[in-house]
Amino acid sequence: MKPAGVVRKVDQLGRIVLPKSLRKRYLMNEGDPVEIFVQGDHIILERYRPKCVFCGSMAEVSEFKERYVCGVCLEEMAVLQQ
Ligand SMILES: [Zn+2]
């Protein structure tokens, strides 16, 4: 992990403004969901990518009843129907 060369202050509501250059570089636009991870003493921000509720895969994920399911798990569930 390397520093981005930017220091920002947290405001009264806990918000931090991400520099435009970083938002552009990491394709973060207004309204995009961002997921927050913690690792030791670090807080990590990533663009949110839906994961399969069953296996955690991010490949070929479809939304079904407000949950995300990958193609492999959908196929496995289809076999159960037979
Ligand atoms: Zn899955």
Side-chain angles (χ1 to χ4, degrees):
M1 197 175 330
K2 67 178 187 177
V6 177
V7 176
R8 293 286 163 99
K9 290 185 178 181
V10 178
D11 76 8
Q12 288 179 322
L13 298 176
R15 298 176 295 197
I16 301 168
V17 175
L18 296 174
K20 188 175 182 176
S21 60
L22 288 178
R23 285 181 274 142
K24 188 174 179 181
R25 180 175 172 184
Y26 292 99
L27 306 173
M28 291 179 169
N29 297 306
E30 182 179 343
D32 285 349
V34 174
E35 191 164 17
I36 302 169
F37 296 90
V38 292
Q39 186 176 39
D41 292 340
H42 302 278
I43 300 170
I44 300 165
L45 304 177
E46 286 188 13
R47 286 188 305 135
Y48 176 70
R49 294 174 52 199
K51 299 175 186 83
C52 175
V53 294
F54 297 111
C55 71
S57 171
M58 289 187 261
E60 296 181 49
V61 176
S62 303
E63 188 173 355
F64 178 72
K65 295 190 176 183
E66 299 181 14
R67 302 274 193 253
Y68 295 99
V69 184
C70 76
V72 173
C73 288
L74 279 175
E75 286 179 20
E76 289 179 19
M77 286 189 286
V79 169
L80 294 175
Q81 295 280 322
Q82 296 172 357

